[in-house]
Amino acid sequence: MSNLSSTKWHVPPHAELLWRVWGDEVVVFHPPSGDTHILHPLAGEVLRYLSRQAADLQEVAGFVASREVVGEDAADDVSRELLSKLLADFDQLGLIEPAHEDP
């Protein structure tokens, strides 16, 4: 696994994730694996963010802070450790991969 903090991550274009949101529940179907994932709203927001652009851990943390994805009171509790684990989990599940920059 790559260094999570300096690696830019993205949802690979071939993943073609299918999304459904019911209230606070986010469900994502990953066609390449055939797996369906039920995500916490924070995880869903981060995965959507990475489906639009590549970002490293610092950029993901900035996105979470700027969007107040988890609510004003809880925003400070979202640590880099939690986001790093989330990225590692997404990587292990095949939902994201390192973005390769063009030379």
Side-chain angles (χ1 to χ4, degrees):
M1 182 182 310
S2 302
N3 178 347
L4 287 171
S5 62
S6 63
T7 300
K8 284 202 178 245
W9 298 93
H10 73 130
V11 173
H14 65 274
E16 299 178 12
L17 301 177
L18 302 174
W19 299 81
R20 293 292 180 263
V21 179
W22 291 281
D24 285 343
E25 194 167 86
V26 179
V27 179
V28 176
F29 176 66
H30 183 238
S33 68
D35 292 334
T36 300
H37 305 280
I38 299 173
L39 305 176
H40 181 278
L42 169 65
E45 287 284 338
V46 170
L47 191 59
R48 269 204 200 269
Y49 175 69
L50 294 173
S51 72
R52 293 188 299 266
Q53 67 188 56
D56 62 21
L57 179 60
Q58 182 174 341
E59 292 164 329
V60 170
F63 165 75
V64 170
S66 72
R67 292 288 305 253
E68 296 179 354
V69 171
V70 293
E72 235 174 280
D73 297 334
D76 291 337
D77 294 334
V78 178
S79 67
R80 287 183 186 270
E81 184 178 329
L82 173 89
L83 293 175
S84 182
K85 177 164 178 9
L86 182 61
L87 293 175
D89 290 347
F90 285 163
D91 181 34
Q92 182 178 10
L93 293 169
L95 296 172
I96 63 173
E97 67 182 16
H100 300 287
E101 305 212 5
D102 295 328

